[in-house]
């Protein structure tokens, strides 16, 4: 996978960071985005460098679609300056937020914020970056196990991820003439700071998830980062338009 470049949103922490580092192990360079913590992003860039690969960190709020055209220009400049290229190979739409609230209590502002980042942002960022994705490239959209099974309090969040799964199929169909494969990866519950770190820090929640998972534990960031890196490897170029759940077998 030498000479490949990935763009990973939300690549400074959690699943995005794990993805960037596992891609580096497979010889893939990265452009990673961060929302506010530039120091964390630069630490990831340094770790990629220690693995013998190159990375660039760019600031991006994936909920602010009006900034996407300028961001695409930043990506274009970074590609030319760092790699002397005018395209990248893999787009991983990882950045997202959670919401755990009863359906009856979700406000319109909360709903709009969730939609803007988890769905609208993915839709229009992909659109803005499409001219920079190489023909024969790949797109991975992050979904969720909650789009398959239902747990109270996650109605709005899960609905955005259900939308991602549908969008993935349509992108696979519409981008097929450019040989761009598009798949969604649906993690189960993972020990990160996502959602306030409840899965990682609340032992009762952690134990419950582990008890409902065939492999008997909660997922870790490296479980997902390694899986995405594997999905983007050359041997998986025929997988397209699929929703792939990586959850250790939860709620089977």
């Amino acid at each position: 996978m030498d000479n490949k470049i990935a763009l990973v949103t939300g690549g400074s922490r959690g699943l995005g960071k794990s993805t960037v580092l596992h891609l580096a192990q497979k010889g893939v360079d990265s452009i990673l985005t961060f929302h506010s913590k530039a120091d964390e992003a630069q630490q990831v860039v340094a770790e990629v460098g220690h693995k013998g690969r190159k990375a660039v960190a760019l600031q991006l709020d994936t909920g602010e679609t009006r900034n996407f055209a300028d961001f695409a220009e930043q990506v274009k400049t970074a590609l030319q300056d760092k790699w002397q290229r005018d395209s990248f190979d893999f787009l991983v739409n990882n950045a997202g937020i959670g919401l755990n609230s009863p359906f009856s209590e979700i406000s319109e502002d909360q709903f709009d914020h969730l939609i803007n980042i988890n769905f609208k942002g993915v839709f229009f960022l992909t659109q803005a970056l499409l001219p920079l994705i190489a023909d024969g490239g790949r797109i991975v959209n992050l979904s969720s196990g909650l789009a398959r099974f239902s747990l109270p309090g996650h109605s709005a969040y899960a609905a955005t991820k259900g939308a991602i799964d549908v969008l993935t199929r349509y992108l696979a169909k519409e981008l097929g003439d450019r040989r761009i494969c598009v798949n969604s990866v649906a993690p189960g519950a993972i020990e990160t700071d996502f959602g306030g770190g409840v899965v990682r820090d609340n032992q009762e929640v952690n134990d419950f998830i582990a008890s409902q998972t065939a492999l008997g534990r909660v997922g870790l960031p490296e479980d997902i980062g390694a899986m995405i890196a594997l999905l983007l490897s050359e041997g998986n170029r025929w997988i397209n338009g699929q929703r792939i759940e990586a959850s250790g077998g939860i709620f089977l």
Side-chain angles (χ1 to χ4, degrees):
M1 293 175 68
D2 284 345
N3 304 314
K4 299 292 187 182
I5 305 168
L7 193 157
V8 182
T9 64
S12 63
R13 58 203 290 195
L15 304 187
K17 174 182 177 180
S18 178
T19 298
V20 169
L21 295 179
H22 278 92
L23 284 170
Q25 289 176 357
K26 290 185 174 293
V28 178
D29 296 340
S30 287
I31 297 172
L32 60 112
T33 77
F34 64 95
H35 180 259
S36 58
K37 297 185 177 180
D39 55 338
E40 289 186 357
Q42 290 304 324
Q43 288 173 12
V44 178
V45 170
E47 288 186 58
V48 170
H50 293 152
K51 295 179 182 295
R53 305 309 309 177
K54 295 187 289 187
V56 172
L58 299 176
Q59 194 280 330
L60 178 67
D61 183 344
T62 55
E64 293 289 346
T65 56
R66 66 178 181 271
N67 296 331
F68 288 174
D70 287 342
F71 176 73
E73 286 300 315
Q74 292 178 46
V75 172
K76 188 174 182 179
T77 298
L79 287 168
Q80 293 170 347
D81 291 349
K82 194 79 171 178
W83 291 278
Q84 294 75 55
R85 280 185 54 177
D86 58 8
S87 66
F88 64 93
D89 303 282
F90 309 135
L91 172 60
V92 181
N93 285 307
N94 164 74
I97 60 170
L99 176 64
N100 185 355
S101 178
F103 171 79
S104 59
E105 297 177 11
I106 296 171
S107 70
E108 189 170 351
D109 285 345
Q110 286 178 307
F111 183 87
D112 287 346
H113 187 52
L114 201 66
I115 287 287
N116 286 344
I117 294 174
N118 287 7
F119 183 59
K120 184 179 177 182
V122 172
F123 190 107
F124 287 104
L125 182 62
T126 302
Q127 187 184 79
L129 294 175
L130 201 54
L132 300 177
I133 301 175
D135 289 352
R138 321 265 187 93
I139 298 172
V140 173
N141 298 320
L142 268 290
S143 178
S144 171
L146 289 162
R148 172 177 66 85
F149 52 82
S150 303
L151 291 175
H154 298 283
S155 58
Y157 171 77
T160 66
K161 294 305 186 178
I164 287 295
D165 289 336
V166 173
L167 175 63
T168 294
R169 295 198 303 272
Y170 274 83
L171 288 178
K173 191 78 168 181
E174 294 197 28
L175 302 183
D177 60 345
R178 291 183 54 191
R179 297 174 289 106
I180 295 175
C181 293
V182 189
N183 296 287
S184 64
V185 169
I190 308 293
E191 288 188 2
T192 69
D193 58 6
F194 188 78
V198 62
V199 173
R200 179 191 62 198
D201 302 333
N202 187 314
Q203 193 61 49
E204 184 178 351
V205 170
N206 195 292
D207 289 344
F208 170 74
I209 292 167
S211 73
Q212 300 300 313
T213 301
L215 293 181
R217 66 169 175 86
V218 170
L220 301 172
E222 49 263 39
D223 294 324
I224 307 304
M227 180 267 179
I228 293 173
L230 184 64
L231 180 61
L232 292 174
S233 65
E234 185 62 22
N236 287 321
R237 64 185 180 274
W238 199 237
I239 298 175
N240 193 23
Q242 302 303 304
R243 177 191 186 276
I244 305 169
E245 185 170 306
S247 66
I250 193 172
F251 295 128
L252 296 178

